[in-house]
Amino acid sequence: MTKDYVILTDATSDIPQPLVEKYNLDYIPMEVNFGEETFKQYLDERDLKLSDFYARLDNKELATTTLINMQTFIDKFTPYLEKGIDVIFIGLSSALSASYSQALIAKEELSAAFPLRKIVIIDSKGASVAEGALVVEALEKQKAGASFDEVVKHVKSLIQHVIAFFVPINLETLRRGGRIGAVKAVIGDAIGIKPILQLDSEGKIVELSKARGFKRALTMLVDLTKDRVTKPYKEKFYIVHASNSAAATVVADLFKAEHGGGQAIIGPLGPVISAHTGTGAVCLVFFGSHR
């Protein structure tokens, strides 16, 4: 593996722990708050167990999240730069968090302090494994011997090909996070209408479609992939879920049936994103022709 540069990300990428270990991935944990209590989201759950987090959400506790500040980026990048190692950071969508702008400020300061080192901050325009899929592709490219510039170019070329669809169960959580209106949430829950949401080209969460009932929504998730999955992209796809492994398995089976197979990488939807979606949500991420 090329050692003159490092690929970093944040915990919002929701990369399954076995892959973290496989690539020896370093990342910045994210903060989640319940009132005055603050926890850090690590991908190995060392500070906050997902089962505990989901239980608190189900108990109607309000979880909030905190951006990564400039100093945290500086503290993470500096040890690598001091060793002569260049940095590629792939982070959460700038449309969803100000962490990206904080990373750019950190880069400006560090570039002045380490003028011989290269630092690239990449806006994934994604969240959860829509961000994590790019990180994995970057790590695979690095493992194959690609240069710093080749990895940066490759990742940037893939951003608009990472497609994310997701379905929540509890619309009230989305309402509290400002993702949908109060009236829409009440009516949707009352009549069983579930929105199908997606990440758009700017990395914003927008409504793509809707379905009557959660089971129908899961089927529609896969139906919506039909005109977007092309041959080079269908070999691997990701599913994350907030305490809903049964629904994740249903989506995986439907996707494989529709596209003639593929490797499903299934994992948990982490606290930072689950704080906004609520428990039960399922997200399907795959590489395709366009967002």
Side-chain angles (χ1 to χ4, degrees):
M1 182 182 291
T2 305
K3 296 293 186 181
D4 58 350
Y5 67 93
V6 65
I7 296 164
L8 304 172
T9 187
D10 55 65
T12 314
S13 59
D14 288 343
I15 296 171
Q17 182 60 24
L19 293 181
V20 173
E21 295 171 4
K22 175 182 177 180
Y23 297 108
N24 195 26
L25 175 65
D26 194 6
Y27 61 89
I28 298 174
M30 299 285 284
E31 290 188 352
V32 182
N33 314 291
F34 284 110
E36 298 299 316
E37 292 181 273
T38 297
F39 302 91
K40 287 189 175 180
Q41 177 189 345
Y42 288 95
L43 297 172
D44 62 3
E45 304 182 43
R46 73 186 73 166
D47 193 46
L48 177 61
K49 295 294 183 185
L50 278 170
S51 57
D52 294 339
F53 177 78
Y54 294 147
R56 294 181 72 164
L57 286 186
D58 286 338
N59 200 37
K60 309 300 182 185
E61 289 192 59
L62 178 63
T64 59
T65 57
T66 305
L67 60 78
I68 303 171
N69 62 40
M70 174 194 70
Q71 191 58 50
T72 300
F73 284 110
I74 289 175
D75 293 344
K76 175 60 71 174
F77 297 170
T78 297
Y80 290 104
L81 300 171
E82 288 177 337
K83 295 175 184 177
I85 298 172
D86 296 328
V87 172
I88 299 172
F89 178 80
I90 304 170
L92 176 63
S93 171
S94 62
L96 300 177
S97 171
S99 294
Y100 176 72
S101 62
Q102 292 291 301
L104 294 179
I105 297 170
K107 173 188 174 180
E108 187 174 348
E109 287 206 11
L110 290 170
S111 293
F114 299 93
L116 299 181
R117 299 271 56 85
K118 293 191 285 188
I119 306 169
V120 170
I121 309 298
I122 298 177
D123 179 357
S124 71
K125 300 190 185 298
S128 187
V129 286
E131 172 190 350
L134 288 174
V135 177
V136 172
E137 290 298 311
L139 292 166
E140 284 287 348
K141 197 79 172 174
Q142 182 187 40
K143 185 178 180 181
S147 68
F148 181 101
D149 291 338
E150 287 171 337
V151 169
V152 170
K153 181 179 179 181
H154 180 62
V155 171
K156 289 184 175 180
S157 74
L158 288 175
I159 290 172
Q160 293 301 325
H161 295 287
V162 179
I163 302 169
F165 298 148
F166 74 94
V167 178
I169 286 182
N170 181 4
L171 303 187
E172 174 60 17
T173 306
L174 286 174
R175 183 199 66 76
R176 289 193 296 180
R179 301 300 176 189
I180 61 174
V183 173
K184 195 171 189 178
V186 171
I187 294 174
D189 278 337
I191 65 175
I193 297 296
K194 303 300 178 187
I196 297 172
L197 308 174
Q198 72 166 350
L199 285 165
D200 69 7
S201 61
E202 297 178 1
K204 298 176 182 177
I205 296 174
V206 297
E207 186 175 304
L208 176 64
S209 187
K210 56 175 66 73
R212 185 176 292 277
F214 188 67
K215 289 183 178 179
R216 174 56 185 154
L218 296 180
T219 301
M220 284 188 67
L221 272 188
V222 177
D223 288 345
L224 290 166
T225 71
K226 291 179 180 179
D227 66 342
R228 302 202 201 191
V229 176
T230 52
K231 187 174 181 179
Y233 295 120
K234 70 180 183 179
E235 301 306 321
K236 180 171 62 179
F237 61 99
Y238 298 80
I239 300 171
V240 285
H241 61 92
S243 191
N244 201 344
S245 58
T249 299
V250 168
V251 173
D253 290 344
L254 288 170
F255 189 95
K256 290 177 182 179
E258 177 62 38
H259 299 290
Q263 177 191 2
I265 300 172
I266 300 176
L269 188 64
V272 170
I273 304 302
S274 295
H276 301 286
T277 67
T279 56
V282 177
C283 179
L284 169 64
V285 172
F286 59 98
F287 289 93
S289 56
H290 63 281
R291 282 200 178 184

Short mmCIF file of all heavy atoms in Angstrom, two decimals, residues 5 40 110 124 135 161 188 238:
data_model
loop_
_atom_site.label_atom_id
_atom_site.label_comp_id
_atom_site.label_asym_id
_atom_site.label_seq_id
_atom_site.Cartn_x
_atom_site.Cartn_y
_atom_site.Cartn_z
N TYR A 5 0.78 8.97 1.52
CA TYR A 5 -0.43 9.74 1.77
C TYR A 5 -1.43 8.87 2.53
O TYR A 5 -1.38 7.64 2.49
CB TYR A 5 -1.05 10.28 0.48
CG TYR A 5 -1.61 9.22 -0.46
CD1 TYR A 5 -2.95 8.85 -0.41
CD2 TYR A 5 -0.80 8.60 -1.41
CE1 TYR A 5 -3.47 7.90 -1.28
CE2 TYR A 5 -1.30 7.65 -2.27
CZ TYR A 5 -2.63 7.29 -2.20
OH TYR A 5 -3.15 6.34 -3.05
N LYS A 40 -19.48 10.29 21.67
CA LYS A 40 -18.80 10.29 20.38
C LYS A 40 -19.18 9.04 19.60
O LYS A 40 -19.21 7.93 20.16
CB LYS A 40 -17.29 10.37 20.56
CG LYS A 40 -16.81 11.75 21.01
CD LYS A 40 -15.31 11.87 20.97
CE LYS A 40 -14.88 13.29 21.31
NZ LYS A 40 -13.40 13.45 21.27
N LEU A 110 -3.07 24.80 7.84
CA LEU A 110 -2.05 23.77 7.77
C LEU A 110 -1.18 23.88 6.52
O LEU A 110 0.01 23.57 6.56
CB LEU A 110 -2.71 22.39 7.84
CG LEU A 110 -3.32 22.03 9.19
CD1 LEU A 110 -4.16 20.77 9.09
CD2 LEU A 110 -2.24 21.86 10.25
N SER A 124 -18.06 14.86 -0.21
CA SER A 124 -18.64 13.64 -0.78
C SER A 124 -20.03 13.87 -1.37
O SER A 124 -20.51 13.06 -2.15
CB SER A 124 -18.76 12.55 0.30
OG SER A 124 -19.78 12.89 1.23
N VAL A 135 -15.12 6.45 0.24
CA VAL A 135 -13.91 6.19 1.03
C VAL A 135 -13.36 4.80 0.71
O VAL A 135 -12.16 4.62 0.51
CB VAL A 135 -14.22 6.31 2.54
CG1 VAL A 135 -12.99 5.97 3.37
CG2 VAL A 135 -14.70 7.73 2.86
N HIS A 161 -22.05 9.50 -9.18
CA HIS A 161 -22.49 8.13 -9.48
C HIS A 161 -22.88 7.36 -8.22
O HIS A 161 -23.31 6.21 -8.32
CB HIS A 161 -21.40 7.37 -10.24
CG HIS A 161 -21.11 7.92 -11.59
ND1 HIS A 161 -21.96 7.77 -12.66
CD2 HIS A 161 -20.06 8.67 -12.04
CE1 HIS A 161 -21.45 8.38 -13.72
NE2 HIS A 161 -20.30 8.94 -13.37
N GLY A 188 -48.96 11.94 6.99
CA GLY A 188 -48.23 10.77 6.50
C GLY A 188 -48.31 9.61 7.46
O GLY A 188 -48.56 8.47 7.08
N TYR A 238 -24.62 -1.16 -1.00
CA TYR A 238 -24.61 -1.00 0.45
C TYR A 238 -26.03 -0.79 0.98
O TYR A 238 -26.84 -0.12 0.34
CB TYR A 238 -23.78 0.23 0.85
CG TYR A 238 -22.32 0.17 0.48
CD1 TYR A 238 -21.89 0.44 -0.82
CD2 TYR A 238 -21.35 -0.14 1.44
CE1 TYR A 238 -20.54 0.41 -1.15
CE2 TYR A 238 -20.00 -0.18 1.12
CZ TYR A 238 -19.60 0.09 -0.18
OH TYR A 238 -18.27 0.05 -0.51
#
